[in-house]
Amino acid sequence: MKKYHLRITTPAGNIFDGDAVRLSVRGVMGDLAIMAGHIPFVTALEDGEIKIYLSDIEIKKITCSGGVLTVSKDMVQVLASTASYSKDV
């Protein structure tokens, strides 16, 4: 699977900065999955869990409180009010 650069940031600093094959988040209009080559867009995020798929079998989970998801040609970025790794990571 193709990878893309993903950064998840809070006012306290970066939570994740690396490559991913898929990102799963809850936007204000519903669930979203972002893969390489996704069209550029911006949306607000609901409170909830972010799943970062590093491969088909390796997943990191982050709990966030709101924020903004930006998808551009070069990278995907989540700017969250707060974010921390889920306990089962």
Side-chain angles (χ1 to χ4, degrees):
M1 298 181 89
K2 289 182 75 176
K3 293 187 175 190
Y4 58 88
H5 189 78
L6 170 65
R7 183 178 296 142
I8 299 176
T9 305
T10 69
N14 286 341
I15 300 297
F16 180 87
D17 192 354
D19 290 336
V21 296
R22 186 171 70 201
L23 176 72
S24 176
V25 296
R26 166 113 352 156
V28 292
M29 300 296 287
D31 292 335
L32 299 166
I34 309 299
M35 297 178 75
H38 198 287
I39 62 168
F41 77 105
V42 176
T43 189
L45 298 177
E46 293 284 340
D47 294 353
E49 188 173 69
I50 298 172
K51 291 182 183 176
I52 305 166
Y53 294 81
L54 303 174
S55 68
D56 285 338
I57 57 172
E58 188 179 2
I59 302 169
K60 292 188 179 278
K61 296 178 182 178
I62 295 175
T63 302
C64 82
S65 61
V68 176
L69 169 69
T70 304
V71 179
S72 68
K73 179 182 175 187
D74 298 326
M75 78 178 299
V76 175
Q77 185 161 359
V78 173
L79 303 173
S81 299
T82 63
S84 61
Y85 282 95
S86 299
K87 300 244 187 269
D88 62 339
V89 172

